[in-house]
Amino acid sequence: MNARGKSVAAPSRTRAAEAGAIQRCIDSGCGREHGIGERVYMCAGCGAPLEIFVREAVSGDGAALQKTWEGRRGSLDPRDRSGVWRFRELLPFGSDAPIVTLSEGNTPLYDAPRSAAYCKLDVLRLKHQGCNPTGSFKDTGMTAAVTQALALNARTVVCASTGNTAASLAAYAARAGLQSAILLPHGQITSSKLAQSMDYGAAVREIDGNFDDCMRLIQELGDDPSVYVANSINPFRIEGQKTVAFELMEQRAWRVPDHVVVPGGNLGNSSALGKGFSELLQLGLIERLPKLSVIQAEGAAPLAHLFARLGSDESRKKGGVPERIETVANPKTLATAIKIGSPVSWKKALRAILESGGSVIAVSEQEIADAKAMIGRDGIGCEPASATTVAGIRKLVAAGRIAASEDVVAVLTGHMLKDPDYVNAYHRGTLAAEAGGKPIHGAFRNQPVRVAATKSAILESLKGAE
Ligand code: F0G
């Protein structure tokens, strides 16, 4: 992507930002550096992904930063009201950068006792990123990517998406007065997500193909100077998303959880969380890394397959990140957000998982569906992809990789109303993994009951109901 040497320099970045951060190739054999104002997504030398180094995040004074962030709690400055920009010292922007914000972040961390019991854990907490302005975790990254698009004087921002990235980009582009164009796999995203993109004014282009085809096209389009790519190959997205680790730790009074568990699709989110925790460790704000685990849907689980092939914990750590991943040609799952066979950020994600001692596993459609309903019973709710976390934690506890007494946080990535058709089908007993196939048996099915319009009929029907 952005063929080697084709990066476009942007004169508009402040000199302070230029001095304080760089983009660097993640391939340790290459390590080529790019200016923070270069419009480049992959290394111009070797084509590997890039990541951003913010000097303050490596050598800043952790205690002083902690105090500064705390001091912003009561502030009315829009930057301080954002759960991303409140941590701006660790972001690759000058202090005077005009930011594009929808007051993202500041999402709740819930106690989820029913889901905990379901997983056979004493306690489970859910960090609900679905409570962001467009209903998914993507907003924390998009505020940074669209801010960078403005800094680069881009006019059109583009992305490939299974729906949430598109909705988020469309909203932030609208706020910034930029045009957005999104590539979606035709017929494979939920109507709620599509509705959002249309309403926010994006140019919606539906492609005959799957998400991986859309992503390939975006990588080709990225060479064109007329567009700026906002997928998570864009390292500025990751910078915004890493702040979730900071916010989570603040909410927990800086007590490190034993495990943080996230769903895996294109693997930007797990990469970002890993980077966030690693920066906190370098700053001395936490004393160890939580084990970062990623859960994929069985039919779209290239990283889980690779992880299983890496062998024991010890051989995995020793062997490090391999050169290649075997992609899944025709990914399948009802959790359409993570229906991805060729994840672009797998190397960054796997590096963070191995560094922390976490796991990658896959869960079945049945497991996802029941876990989702269980999260609902906690009064929380999420979209199917997010429920892979609780399904996965249950499996990791059963396998002895998480102990009942351990401190576990699952990250819910999307709001329940992102996919109401799925929820209705589950509770009505019509949810099927394949069109025309056998429906999934909903262990926690809760079907509406039709009753006569009388008081006695209603009271009668409630007898015996929970
Ligand atoms: N959960 C939800 C709700 C998502 O929308 C996505 C990804 C993921 C989990 C996986 O996160 O890709 O960082 O590993 N959605 C992208 C999109 C692909 O286009 O909306 P990831």
Side-chain angles (χ1 to χ4, degrees):
M1 133 147 283
N2 227 16
R4 296 156 198 203
K6 273 204 190 167
S7 65
V8 183
S12 64
R13 300 309 311 275
T14 66
R15 290 181 57 187
E18 278 288 358
I22 49 153
Q23 308 188 72
R24 188 187 295 155
C25 176
I26 67 161
D27 185 327
S28 51
C30 171
R32 180 162 165 171
E33 295 186 351
H34 303 70
I36 207 70
E38 276 184 70
R39 188 191 289 206
V40 58
Y41 315 100
M42 297 297 211
C43 177
C46 73
L50 296 175
E51 78 187 324
I52 292 176
F53 281 82
V54 179
R55 190 188 298 145
E56 191 69 10
V58 181
S59 56
D61 175 344
L65 284 169
Q66 200 175 23
K67 243 181 152 180
T68 304
W69 299 335
E70 261 175 40
R72 287 177 180 153
R73 280 210 183 129
S75 161
L76 296 177
D77 181 331
R79 293 175 305 170
D80 297 341
R81 306 302 294 169
S82 159
V84 172
W85 296 98
R86 202 152 54 81
F87 303 103
R88 55 190 171 273
E89 287 75 14
L90 304 192
L91 295 176
F93 294 91
S95 55
D96 55 347
I99 63 163
V100 186
T101 177
L102 281 163
S103 296
E104 52 290 316
N106 297 317
T107 59
L109 179 64
Y110 293 120
D111 197 18
R114 288 175 193 83
S115 301
Y118 180 65
C119 295
K120 301 201 165 48
L121 282 177
D122 297 342
V123 179
L124 172 63
R125 290 191 181 82
L126 306 178
K127 173 77 175 149
H128 205 336
Q129 293 297 95
C131 296
N132 269 293
T134 76
S136 86
F137 73 101
K138 304 289 182 181
D139 295 344
T140 55
M142 214 49 90
T143 185
V146 174
T147 292
Q148 176 67 358
L150 269 191
L152 294 174
N153 296 321
R155 279 187 36 85
T156 305
V157 281
V158 298
C159 73
S161 182
T162 56
N164 281 328
T165 302
S168 184
L169 178 61
Y172 281 86
R175 296 299 297 172
L178 298 176
Q179 186 193 29
S180 63
I182 59 183
L183 298 190
L184 304 173
H186 176 64
Q188 296 182 45
I189 77 161
T190 72
S191 57
S192 309
K193 295 175 187 175
L194 184 56
Q196 286 183 289
S197 289
M198 293 191 290
D199 217 39
Y200 297 137
V204 178
R205 300 294 176 259
E206 296 184 289
I207 302 299
D208 288 326
N210 60 23
F211 170 82
D212 298 310
D213 296 318
C214 295
M215 197 61 227
R216 180 178 42 76
L217 286 163
I218 281 291
Q219 291 182 310
E220 287 175 24
L221 281 166
D223 277 346
D224 196 295
S226 70
V227 300
Y228 184 61
V229 173
N231 279 104
S232 55
I233 43 167
N234 180 329
F236 288 87
R237 270 275 306 281
I238 302 297
E239 290 303 293
Q241 282 174 218
K242 79 182 179 187
T243 62
V244 177
F246 310 159
E247 185 178 293
L248 173 67
M249 290 313 302
E250 241 192 22
Q251 284 171 310
R252 295 175 47 94
W254 302 93
R255 276 179 305 105
V256 184
D258 296 311
H259 299 266
V260 172
V261 183
V262 292
N266 222 8
L267 298 170
N269 198 29
S270 31
S271 305
L273 273 161
K275 188 169 195 282
F277 286 119
S278 154
E279 289 182 359
L280 292 181
L281 187 68
Q282 286 187 67
L283 288 168
L285 287 172
I286 56 175
E287 72 285 1
R288 63 185 165 89
L289 295 174
K291 288 184 176 161
L292 180 66
S293 291
V294 171
I295 318 295
Q296 300 196 292
E298 260 175 14
L303 191 67
H305 299 159
L306 175 62
F307 190 81
R309 277 199 296 275
L310 295 181
S312 68
D313 282 348
E314 211 170 296
S315 64
R316 272 196 293 267
K317 261 222 145 124
K318 240 195 255 155
V321 176
E323 272 307 303
R324 281 195 61 253
I325 189 166
E326 212 164 292
T327 58
V328 173
N330 185 18
K332 285 190 183 141
T333 171
L334 294 174
T336 52
I338 51 171
K339 195 172 158 187
I340 296 173
S342 180
V344 296
S345 295
W346 71 270
K347 276 192 178 172
K348 285 185 189 176
L350 185 57
R351 189 184 57 184
I353 294 157
L354 295 178
E355 235 168 59
S356 74
S359 306
V360 191
I361 61 165
V363 289
S364 70
E365 295 298 311
Q366 176 82 52
E367 289 168 326
I368 296 170
D370 287 335
K372 208 198 86 57
M374 186 49 67
I375 296 165
R377 293 286 173 96
D378 267 316
I380 296 171
C382 63
E383 68 167 288
S386 310
T388 56
T389 52
V390 168
I393 290 166
R394 190 167 188 253
K395 273 183 111 164
L396 290 169
V397 173
R401 291 194 67 89
I402 297 181
S405 59
E406 283 190 299
D407 187 349
V408 184
V409 174
V411 179
L412 302 182
T413 45
H415 197 279
M416 177 164 62
L417 296 178
K418 286 283 190 174
D419 195 355
D421 291 346
Y422 179 104
V423 189
N424 273 300
Y426 176 87
H427 289 294
R428 291 175 190 278
T430 58
L431 187 68
E434 301 276 346
K438 208 169 125 233
I440 284 170
H441 167 74
F444 308 109
R445 221 172 125 185
N446 179 28
Q447 214 173 355
V449 176
R450 195 142 183 216
V451 292
T454 65
K455 176 180 168 185
S456 60
I458 293 168
L459 289 175
E460 187 59 31
S461 80
L462 289 177
K463 275 189 195 153
E466 272 174 55

